[in-house]
Amino acid sequence: MFIGVTIFNSFVLLPQSIVELLITLDNFLLMMSMAALGLTTQVNTIKQAGIKPLILG
């Protein structure tokens, strides 16, 4: 799918306004998924993992 969308976008078939809307939607959905991931993380789990994963991140 990713390669197909990349090829489709290379042909510049969509107007720039729609592309900008899709990028904004993409950023919003990414923000929502990262927030959901963060909200399900428990402090005890982070403490058990230690400092090394946080430094790596």
Side-chain angles (χ1 to χ4, degrees):
M1 287 287 290
F2 178 77
I3 292 172
V5 171
T6 304
I7 292 170
F8 179 79
N9 191 41
S10 297
F11 291 118
V12 192
L13 299 175
L14 296 175
Q16 187 63 28
S17 60
I18 293 178
V19 172
E20 290 175 6
L21 177 67
L22 291 173
I23 290 172
T24 302
L25 177 64
D26 175 58
N27 288 335
F28 177 74
L29 292 175
L30 179 61
M31 178 192 66
M32 293 291 290
S33 64
M34 296 302 282
L37 181 64
L39 290 172
T40 59
T41 303
Q42 296 182 3
V43 176
N44 291 336
T45 307
I46 295 172
K47 286 181 183 177
Q48 288 176 349
I51 191 74
K52 288 184 181 180
L54 291 175
I55 292 172
L56 182 61

